[in-house]
Amino acid sequence: MNPTVKLPVGIDDFEKLRTEDFYYVDKTSLIKELLDNWSEVNLFTRPRRFGKSLNMSMLKCFFEYGCDARLFEGLDIAKETELCEKYMGKFPVISVSLKDASAGDYSTARQMLCAIIRNEAQRFPFLLNSDKLTGEEKELYQQIIAVGGIGEAAYVMTDDILTESLLTLCRLLYKHYGQKVVLLIDEYDVPLDKAQHFGYYEEMVKLVRNLYSRALKSNGFLQFAVMTGCLKIAMSSMGRHLESIFTGLNNLRVFSVMNIQFDEHFGFSDREEEDMLRFYGHGDRFSLAKEWYDGYRFGNADVYCPWDVINYCADLRADPKASPRAFWVNTSGNDIIHNFIRTAKPGTRRELELLVNGESVTKKINQELTYRDLYSSPDNLWSVLFMTGYLT
């Protein structure tokens, strides 16, 4: 036991976690599996609080130019010496998280999206002085990073600039470095979730469809992309027309909670849970923690929600007699669930009561939901509960 090692409650920055003495559950084998099962665009859908953002931060730290190899010392990926020599620190990386691209109206949400991409673009100021770029290309970069302005010098991130922004950054970085780009998009579906709730879905789905299509489809400057989200590809039946925010994207592979591949890379396994408790001197609480927090099934793996496990371990450090609590349920927006429960028919309410009482119901899960059609059928409740982590 080492009481000086801190528990990473709410820490999703891999570099901070590795340099400031936090406990880390090693998920770096995700890198090897990602490269061994290579796809140009990879989408991972998992419930919130299962380590998606930390894994994306880990990928950024590994692949990006200037990688500090010491961050990975002693971890599984460091054993793959040939792979590390070939890929570690060898790429320009664009990394954006859309978890904060949410607002009560379209205009504000769009401004947030612009700010997120602008902030990421500002990590590459050397592009303005690059002798590999033309004056016109530097002007395009300036239009992405600039804020406000007056008169002829003013820059406004128009829809055209915004939807081309990720593709433009890929192209400029490729020209500067002579190396294709790794693109990471965390919580890709949050803007759609909030747009559906606040009533501006049509505008937002058009915007993000164009943004993703330009960045991911036929992007000759892309090495590969990784995306994460809560729900699977958003598709909607509109008469005989099938609409998708990834229309025509034939280089995409989706890894949902149903897939065997990558099933242990998000969430904690039995061994990882027990190791953490033992590390902090509470191995005797493993059975109780398992009773409370085990039960999620991703592919062929039984997994725990990291947020619950870490917070329970933190409680035990403060009070060795602490009882388990439901930590996860209050950590993310529950608007969708509340809407379903409020409008649920008596039959659905009875089925929910059966589940609460420890019994079971049999339902068909639809993994092809769109935020537009969430409430088109009361049966969608079960799919949403499953995909978002409420059902284990």
Side-chain angles (χ1 to χ4, degrees):
M1 181 176 71
N2 186 345
T4 66
V5 177
K6 300 186 288 289
L7 280 161
V9 179
I11 305 297
D12 58 12
D13 183 323
F14 180 78
E15 182 176 3
K16 179 178 181 178
L17 188 148
R18 293 291 290 165
T19 58
E20 298 186 16
D21 206 21
F22 285 95
Y23 189 94
Y24 177 58
V25 175
D26 189 352
K27 296 295 181 179
T28 57
S29 56
L30 169 65
I31 298 169
K32 175 174 168 54
E33 189 165 350
L34 191 65
L35 293 170
D36 286 347
N37 300 277
W38 190 89
S39 298
E40 190 167 60
V41 182
N42 308 267
L43 171 60
F44 295 98
T45 60
R46 295 293 189 277
R48 294 195 171 93
R49 297 295 185 180
F50 271 80
K52 298 191 298 295
S53 295
L54 178 57
N55 276 345
M56 294 290 265
S57 177
M58 179 261 292
L59 293 175
K60 175 178 178 290
C61 287
F62 181 85
F63 286 107
E64 189 167 42
Y65 285 127
C67 166
D68 183 352
R70 292 172 297 180
L71 297 176
F72 296 90
E73 288 179 355
L75 301 180
D76 288 342
I77 194 62
K79 303 171 186 175
E80 306 293 335
T81 53
E82 291 186 11
L83 184 148
C84 288
E85 184 177 345
K86 183 176 181 180
Y87 293 101
M88 182 185 284
K90 296 298 189 341
F91 299 90
V93 175
I94 298 170
S95 177
V96 294
S97 173
L98 304 188
K99 62 183 177 182
D100 294 324
S102 62
D105 61 88
Y106 173 73
S107 177
T108 305
R110 184 188 179 284
Q111 290 177 24
M112 290 178 172
L113 185 58
C114 290
I116 289 168
I117 294 177
R118 179 184 297 116
N119 289 340
E120 177 63 8
Q122 288 173 343
R123 291 203 306 122
F124 315 117
F126 51 83
L127 292 175
L128 287 174
N129 300 312
S130 174
D131 58 6
K132 303 293 180 60
L133 303 185
T134 66
E136 182 179 354
E137 288 168 335
K138 293 176 183 179
E139 178 76 8
L140 289 174
Y141 176 69
Q142 183 71 38
Q143 290 176 356
I144 296 174
I145 66 170
V147 180
I150 300 175
E152 294 182 1
Y155 288 108
V156 177
M157 196 181 291
T158 64
D159 280 354
D160 286 343
I161 295 171
L162 176 56
T163 57
E164 294 284 328
S165 58
L166 294 178
L167 175 61
T168 298
L169 287 175
C170 286
R171 177 162 61 89
L172 300 185
L173 288 170
Y174 173 75
K175 286 199 66 175
H176 177 79
Y177 286 112
Q179 176 62 273
K180 291 185 178 182
V181 175
V182 173
L183 175 59
L184 307 174
I185 304 177
D186 192 28
E187 302 286 8
Y188 88 99
D189 57 340
V190 166
L192 297 176
D193 178 4
K194 299 303 179 182
Q196 187 279 331
H197 179 71
F198 289 107
Y200 55 91
Y201 184 86
E202 297 294 338
E203 295 168 288
M204 183 56 72
V205 76
K206 179 181 178 181
L207 181 63
V208 298
R209 183 197 300 120
N210 291 337
L211 177 67
Y212 296 152
S213 177
R214 294 297 295 152
L216 302 172
K217 180 182 177 182
S218 302
N219 181 350
F221 316 106
L222 184 68
Q223 181 72 19
F224 67 86
V226 179
M227 308 175 73
T228 70
C230 193
L231 295 184
K232 198 177 176 181
I233 307 172
M235 304 189 75
S236 173
S237 297
M238 301 172 59
R240 294 187 176 182
H241 176 64
L242 193 63
E243 177 196 32
S244 170
I245 63 169
F246 297 127
T247 299
L249 195 65
N250 56 12
N251 57 347
L252 171 71
R253 292 187 68 189
V254 181
F255 302 98
S256 75
V257 295
M258 305 294 289
N259 289 91
I260 295 174
Q261 281 184 288
F262 304 97
D263 57 3
E264 291 190 344
H265 295 305
F266 299 86
F268 292 168
S269 67
D270 259 356
R271 177 184 57 79
E272 292 165 341
E273 155 73 340
E274 187 171 14
D275 286 349
M276 175 180 283
L277 288 170
R278 289 190 183 281
F279 181 85
Y280 288 104
H282 300 291
D284 60 319
R285 290 302 184 101
F286 172 67
S287 296
L288 183 60
K290 183 178 180 66
E291 180 182 343
W292 267 75
Y293 304 127
D294 188 17
Y296 292 95
R297 183 77 172 176
F298 296 167
N300 285 337
D302 291 324
V303 297
Y304 299 74
C305 173
W307 180 254
D308 282 326
V309 172
I310 293 171
N311 276 278
Y312 179 47
C313 200
D315 277 4
L316 287 173
R317 293 188 73 189
D319 176 10
K321 297 181 179 180
S323 299
R325 294 186 288 140
F327 299 98
W328 177 87
V329 70
N330 293 319
T331 64
S332 59
N334 300 314
D335 296 328
I336 293 175
I337 306 303
H338 290 161
N339 287 338
F340 270 116
I341 300 302
R342 187 176 63 252
T343 60
K345 296 180 179 179
T348 300
R349 291 179 180 272
R350 284 194 296 271
E351 290 173 323
L352 287 169
E353 291 172 359
L354 289 174
L355 290 178
V356 171
N357 290 328
E359 300 182 51
S360 63
V361 297
T362 301
K363 295 291 179 180
K364 183 177 180 180
I365 298 299
N366 176 16
Q367 295 190 71
E368 303 292 344
L369 286 174
T370 172
Y371 286 102
R372 182 207 306 275
D373 287 344
L374 281 180
Y375 307 114
S376 62
S377 168
D379 287 340
N380 287 342
L381 167 65
W382 308 106
S383 298
V384 173
L385 289 174
F386 177 73
M387 300 300 289
T388 55
Y390 286 87
L391 294 181
T392 61

